[in-house]
Amino acid sequence: MSRFNNKILSLALKAKGFNNYSPSLKKSGELALIKRVLNLGIDEVFDVGANIGQYSEIFLKYSNARTFAFEPMEESFNRLLSIQLFNQRMIPFNFALGAGEYEADIFYGSERHHLATISPEVLQIPYVERNNSKSRRIKVRTLDRVFLEIQHQYNVTKLDCIKIDTEGFELDVLKGASLVLTEIKPKAIILEWNLHQLFRGITLLQIQELLPDYQAFRVLPFRKSLYPPINIVILPSPS
């Protein structure tokens, strides 16, 4: 009965928000999550690790928010530029965000593949190693420095939501956002949590310690609600 029992266990864990990844944001529960976040009153969004703009397009479709999208891969960035042609609320930037201002190697397979990562540790994960056989040099900047520049250039006075999907680099992005997190205090932070963090030795506790005024939740699949902590995580400010 082991195969049957493993299947039941897998389905039960997915129902609790573990391993609930799906190419469809509706099936994974992420679409329902974004709509719930928008109810908080979202005008300015940072989409960090935007890839080809799947998240950005949802924010643009269901709200009047401006979306500042950050993507270091050239072809994915060009896709963001094409979105901008039809919607000027999309503002893309062709670099990564991290804990400092420097250059780094990014590992990838195809230009638009969502597994591109700055973290060499996650190449130990078999499915990542198979897909990320190439590398190139990219620019990394801090969210704090970029926000200060955007404030003046685009007349931004607040940052309501930060979405981070950087294949194991999420903690680094948050470390480079200490000013924004303590003084601007976004209403919600959405980040991916998977095997990549485990290979880098990063725990949810480390992220929670950077965000003492926030509470963590798992996203449940199939339009369900939120569940206290992992996988995709929303960290909303308490009311």
Side-chain angles (χ1 to χ4, degrees):
M1 297 291 289
S2 62
R3 293 177 65 182
F4 174 77
N5 289 335
N6 286 336
K7 186 67 174 179
I8 295 297
L9 177 60
S10 176
L11 290 173
L13 289 173
K14 180 171 288 191
K16 291 295 186 181
F18 292 91
N19 297 323
N20 64 335
Y21 170 78
S22 170
S24 167
L25 297 187
K26 183 176 180 180
K27 287 183 178 180
S28 69
E30 293 167 82
L31 179 58
L33 164 65
I34 295 172
K35 290 180 177 180
R36 181 167 179 166
V37 167
L38 290 175
N39 289 334
L40 300 174
I42 303 298
D43 297 313
E44 311 285 4
V45 176
F46 269 26
D47 185 354
V48 184
N51 193 240
I52 59 173
Q54 188 179 21
Y55 256 82
S56 291
E57 287 189 297
I58 292 175
F59 278 108
L60 294 170
K61 178 179 179 179
Y62 292 103
S63 76
N64 293 317
R66 283 192 295 186
T67 301
F68 299 88
F70 302 88
E71 174 54 50
M73 299 300 294
E74 197 68 38
E75 282 193 25
S76 296
F77 175 71
N78 289 336
R79 162 66 176 151
L80 300 180
L81 289 175
S82 69
I83 297 173
Q84 185 184 39
L85 289 175
F86 296 96
N87 194 325
Q88 295 301 303
R89 288 186 287 115
M90 157 66 83
I91 305 169
F93 297 87
N94 190 205
F95 52 79
L97 296 183
E101 304 263 331
Y102 57 94
E103 290 188 351
D105 291 323
I106 189 166
F107 303 92
Y108 66 100
S110 66
E111 281 279 350
R112 291 191 180 187
H113 202 280
H114 67 279
L115 289 177
T117 180
I118 302 174
S119 307
E121 297 95 334
V122 305
L123 296 178
Q124 299 175 64
I125 305 173
Y127 67 83
V128 176
E129 183 184 27
R130 287 195 302 271
N131 286 284
N132 290 359
S133 58
K134 306 174 185 177
S135 67
R136 71 164 52 156
R137 204 75 173 162
I138 62 165
K139 181 186 293 185
V140 180
R141 305 204 57 200
T142 66
L143 193 153
D144 279 343
R145 290 282 296 274
V146 171
F147 180 75
L148 290 174
E149 294 172 7
I150 286 176
Q151 271 187 307
H152 300 292
Q153 186 176 356
Y154 294 96
N155 192 29
V156 175
T157 58
K158 60 178 181 173
L159 177 53
D160 298 307
C161 179
I162 305 174
K163 167 262 180 180
I164 311 172
D165 182 358
T166 51
E167 306 304 316
F169 215 62
E170 287 77 8
L171 182 62
D172 298 71
V173 174
L174 292 173
K175 286 180 177 179
S178 57
L179 177 68
V180 166
L181 294 175
T182 56
E183 296 189 14
I184 306 300
K185 294 183 178 178
K187 295 175 181 178
I189 301 169
I190 304 171
L191 59 88
E192 185 177 66
W193 190 265
N194 54 30
L195 283 175
H196 298 185
Q197 284 83 4
L198 298 180
F199 273 82
R200 297 198 68 208
I202 296 169
T203 66
L204 187 58
L205 176 61
Q206 290 173 284
I207 289 179
Q208 188 73 76
E209 287 174 344
L210 282 179
L211 304 165
D213 296 327
Y214 294 76
Q215 185 178 2
F217 295 89
R218 289 198 304 273
V219 175
L220 299 182
F222 301 106
R223 294 174 156 236
K224 298 291 180 63
S225 186
L226 303 175
Y227 193 84
I230 294 187
N231 211 353
I232 304 297
V233 180
I234 174 177
L235 302 160
S237 300
S239 56

